[in-house]
Amino acid sequence: ADQQLDTFLANGSCEFLTSYAKPFSLLVIADLLGVPSEDHEEFKSVFALETVGELGAEAPTSHNPLEWLNEKFYAYIEDRRRTPRQDVLTELAQAKHEDGSTPEIEDVMNLSTFLFAAGTETTTKLVSSAMRFIGDKPGSEKVLRDDRSKIGAFLEETLRLESPVKSHFRMARTTTKIGEV
């Protein structure tokens, strides 16, 4: 958090999403997974202006960032199988199926890429929503600073009120009538 704040504090202001929430979230998820710190700047530069999943002529990039991630995580998984470390990527790389067989590297890579992309996007939206709620309710920052035990509940409530993933699903497998609907 301090590292990312240091990139703009001297300016006295920032655009929160692009200057803090997105790069902070990316670095947190990268650290959690075990992406080597020497690769962090490359990850930040690749994803700085990306809208993951946006395709077509209007897309902000000429390359697919998920393909880039797949290449990176494939190499990380290969490396962790050769040289285990104390990180999540090693645990994924060393995991076995119930029958004792080793999953294909591509399967582990797909899971790693998904964890990275989904974790980054979800965390970015959570941090941004939390900041918006603090900005919309004067005094809430002081309440959280004065009693830091309330931060967990605040973040859970932020997730409840402003879910990072907005979608709906049709769950019924058969046509069902409830009342007259």
Side-chain angles (χ1 to χ4, degrees):
D2 289 342
Q3 175 186 334
Q4 195 55 40
L5 288 170
D6 288 344
T7 66
F8 62 79
L9 278 178
N11 299 336
S13 67
C14 74
E15 195 291 311
F16 186 76
L17 180 71
T18 58
S19 295
Y20 186 78
K22 193 169 185 177
F24 169 75
S25 299
L26 182 144
L27 293 174
V28 166
I29 301 302
D31 275 346
L32 286 172
L33 288 174
V35 170
S37 57
E38 59 268 17
D39 291 352
H40 287 185
E41 287 305 314
E42 182 181 15
F43 270 70
K44 281 175 40 177
S45 67
V46 167
F47 288 94
L49 301 174
E50 294 298 330
T51 302
V52 176
E54 189 170 352
L55 301 172
E58 301 301 315
T61 182
S62 60
H63 74 284
N64 181 343
L66 295 179
E67 285 180 20
W68 182 87
L69 272 180
N70 282 344
E71 291 173 14
K72 293 299 278 187
F73 282 107
Y74 193 97
Y76 294 149
I77 298 304
E78 277 186 322
D79 177 61
R80 296 318 193 281
R81 285 189 173 173
R82 284 189 310 272
T83 312
R85 300 178 191 171
Q86 296 294 319
D87 59 25
V88 172
L89 287 173
T90 296
E91 290 186 32
L92 292 170
Q94 302 293 318
K96 302 285 186 201
H97 289 298
E98 286 182 17
D99 66 4
S101 63
T102 302
E104 296 293 324
I105 290 178
E106 189 167 301
D107 294 335
V108 180
M109 172 210 64
N110 286 334
L111 177 60
S112 302
T113 298
F114 174 78
L115 288 172
F116 178 82
T120 299
E121 192 68 16
T122 301
T123 306
T124 297
K125 289 178 180 175
L126 169 61
V127 170
S128 297
S129 293
M131 182 59 75
R132 191 187 83 232
F133 287 139
I134 289 171
D136 288 347
K137 188 170 181 187
S140 59
E141 177 188 0
K142 181 174 178 1
V143 170
L144 294 171
R145 283 180 185 264
D146 290 348
D147 185 356
R148 291 177 184 258
S149 70
K150 294 180 179 181
I151 292 173
F154 168 72
L155 291 174
E156 285 184 31
E157 196 64 4
T158 300
L159 280 171
R160 186 182 71 78
L161 293 171
E162 193 62 45
S163 173
V165 179
K166 296 188 181 354
S167 62
H168 64 279
F169 303 91
R170 183 174 181 185
M171 301 301 274
R173 293 179 183 246
T174 60
T175 301
T176 305
K177 190 173 186 177
I178 299 175
E180 296 301 317
V181 179

